[in-house]
Amino acid sequence: MTVVVRVGLLDGALDRSIGDAVYAVSGGAPLGANARDHGSQIARCVLAHAPQARLAVAQVFGSSRETTVDAVLDGLYWLIGQGVQLINMSFGMPTASPRLAQACRDAADAGIVLVASAPARGAPVYPAAFAQCIAVTGDARCASGDVSWLATAVADFGTHPLIEPGRPEHGGGASIAAARMSGLIAALLAQGVASDDLRARLQRAAIHVGPERRHA
């Protein structure tokens, strides 16, 4: 028996066609976007793998995809107050904020699963690099629904990175991969998998272990 899982999106606005899946909103115009805006794409990736999920949307980004630590903190604590079980954070900041680190600890202490996008290589980004977060990047080896266990310095897991599988011209990346992983995790939570068992469950499900190899 599956249960409804409440997923928090710390992102941009969604388009109104997703409104039936949304149970709480915060921000300037959280249901005023179009279907190709980032927030809408993130929501659809989550729902593609967890159609039973219900979304709480904290709009912290506008069309410029720029925000502040204060806005992210406000959105994160608002989502904690909405009783979400999982929060997707498809963004990365180059500098660790002690206040954001504390907010992630507070969310984790409340039993919330945190999923954040990370680069495949290079320097760590935040919040993905915080220990409380499941750090996810895109892995071209993965089909939609597949998981790879990377265990690199910057990413824990990888999954399919394209907005539309088979259509690379429509874009994608780590932020999309994180949203797909959030959907896969939400589906596991709906099946009754305990949050403490998620990492081990994802490791067992991985079809690839270790990072993609770069060919010369």
Side-chain angles (χ1 to χ4, degrees):
M1 179 179 178
T2 59
V3 298
V4 173
V5 175
R6 298 180 300 278
V7 177
L9 303 183
L10 199 60
D11 211 281
L14 312 189
D15 71 275
R16 293 188 180 278
S17 69
I18 309 174
D20 288 347
V22 176
Y23 76 91
V25 294
S26 174
L31 292 177
N34 66 57
R36 297 197 65 81
D37 284 347
H38 192 266
S40 300
Q41 293 170 341
I42 294 302
R44 285 195 169 86
C45 286
V46 172
L47 294 170
H49 298 283
Q52 78 286 351
R54 291 297 172 262
L55 308 177
V57 182
Q59 182 189 353
V60 297
F61 294 105
S63 58
S64 67
R65 293 291 297 163
E66 293 181 358
T67 191
T68 64
V69 172
D70 284 339
V72 169
L73 291 171
D74 288 346
L76 189 52
Y77 280 113
W78 180 82
L79 288 172
I80 294 172
Q82 300 308 305
V84 299
Q85 295 149 275
L86 183 156
I87 295 175
N88 183 82
M89 297 180 285
S90 283
F91 60 89
M93 299 177 175
T95 303
S97 161
R99 293 187 298 152
L100 182 55
Q102 182 61 55
C104 289
R105 288 192 292 270
D106 291 342
D109 288 345
I112 298 170
V113 179
L114 300 174
V115 178
S117 58
R121 298 173 180 85
V125 299
Y126 302 88
F130 294 138
Q132 295 78 20
C133 294
I134 296 175
V136 181
T137 194
D139 190 332
R141 299 172 297 180
C142 293
S144 181
D146 289 344
V147 173
S148 60
W149 179 20
L150 303 176
T152 69
V154 291
D156 300 314
F157 297 97
T159 191
H160 188 70
L162 297 182
I163 295 169
E164 295 183 33
R167 303 291 299 273
E169 68 274 16
H170 290 174
S175 63
I176 296 298
R180 288 195 181 280
M181 184 64 80
S182 287
L184 293 170
I185 290 174
L188 291 174
L189 293 173
Q191 295 166 18
V193 176
S195 58
D196 289 345
D197 295 334
L198 285 171
R199 289 180 186 264
R201 183 70 172 260
L202 292 171
Q203 289 169 5
R204 291 196 299 271
I207 64 168
H208 300 287
V209 177
E212 293 181 72
R213 294 180 182 273
R214 279 190 168 181
H215 299 288

